[in-house]
Amino acid sequence: MVMQVGLDEQGHINVATAEALSAATSYWIEAIPGASDVPEGLYVLEGTRLGHRPDDVATPCWINTLVPADLTAGTPAATSR
């Protein structure tokens, strides 16, 4: 279950979830017109860390960082930071 989505200054998508996302999976992000500034497209997991949502620091969650998939490589792959 996705609890919160945000876009950082590098264009990476940060997704707060109840459980960590899988690194072996590609994720399709669909834009919600008028409700989100997150670019629609295929993304891969760059990293995951345990954290808290800014509006609910009492409940832990997973902060997952997604980057656009590299479709020119033939298979989606994240770049290292």
Side-chain angles (χ1 to χ4, degrees):
M1 177 175 130
V2 173
M3 296 185 279
Q4 188 170 359
V5 177
L7 193 62
D8 71 11
E9 60 276 355
Q10 287 106 13
H12 299 146
I13 295 174
N14 295 303
V15 181
T17 57
E19 295 185 21
L21 296 179
S22 173
T25 305
S26 298
Y27 297 92
W28 179 261
I29 303 296
E30 190 167 321
I32 301 170
S36 175
D37 59 352
V38 174
E40 187 169 276
L42 189 64
Y43 289 81
V44 292
L45 184 66
E46 181 178 65
T48 297
R49 64 180 169 81
L50 194 56
H52 299 276
R53 296 183 312 164
D55 57 337
D56 184 9
V57 296
T59 305
C61 67
W62 290 96
I63 309 297
N64 307 276
T65 301
L66 300 173
V67 296
D70 182 2
L71 300 178
T72 62
T75 57
T79 57
S80 60
R81 264 198 235 191

